[in-house]
Amino acid sequence: QVQLVESGGGLVQAGGSLRLSCAASGRTFSSLAMGWFRQAAGKEREFVAAISRSGGSTYYADSVKGRFTISRDNAKNTVYLQMNSLKPEDTAVYYCAARTSAVVPMTRRAYDYWGQGTQVTVSS
């Protein structure tokens, strides 16, 4: 089993920045591909970003490319999502997800473990 705990959400003005963190436990962190998803009110949960086990490969949704950066620190068992130039449409609950795989999925169903989510609200 893998436990994931997100933190770092909050209220920010448009154009501002936030950094989300996700701390993992229960399994060797470097064996996990990691992803971030988000779910706005009344919408489906959607892919935001993902990172390979070593951190050498990263993937982004087109809507966040150039504004968000995913990274990981395997020594700290933590994955991060740096969010810059935030827009009101980025408002959502952000979820961290993990999969024991060398493959880095970008679909919700491919992930085995999920955190409880952290709210990000961007005001205009």
Side-chain angles (χ1 to χ4, degrees):
Q1 280 287 357
V2 176
Q3 292 77 44
L4 303 171
V5 179
E6 302 99 333
S7 61
L11 174 64
V12 63
Q13 287 190 331
S17 298
L18 281 175
R19 188 175 83 154
L20 305 183
S21 300
C22 172
S25 61
R27 201 168 189 125
T28 302
F29 185 65
S30 58
S31 71
L32 302 172
M34 302 296 297
W36 285 98
F37 288 73
R38 66 186 181 187
Q39 187 166 15
K43 295 189 177 181
E44 295 284 320
R45 192 171 300 186
E46 65 175 5
F47 170 76
V48 174
I51 189 166
S52 62
R53 296 185 298 186
S54 68
S57 297
T58 57
Y59 307 85
Y60 297 94
D62 288 343
S63 59
V64 307
K65 206 169 291 183
R67 299 187 298 123
F68 290 12
T69 302
I70 188 171
S71 62
R72 65 190 295 160
D73 185 337
N74 285 352
K76 294 184 178 179
N77 295 348
T78 302
V79 63
Y80 305 98
L81 185 68
Q82 177 67 44
M83 305 186 294
N84 298 330
S85 302
L86 282 161
K87 305 175 181 180
E89 51 263 44
D90 294 318
T91 295
V93 178
Y94 283 71
Y95 296 90
C96 173
R99 174 183 168 92
T100 307
S101 172
V103 174
V104 185
M106 288 176 275
T107 57
R108 175 183 176 181
R109 289 186 176 85
Y111 284 86
D112 303 309
Y113 306 101
W114 292 86
Q116 82 290 348
T118 186
Q119 177 70 48
V120 171
T121 302
V122 184
S123 64
S124 56

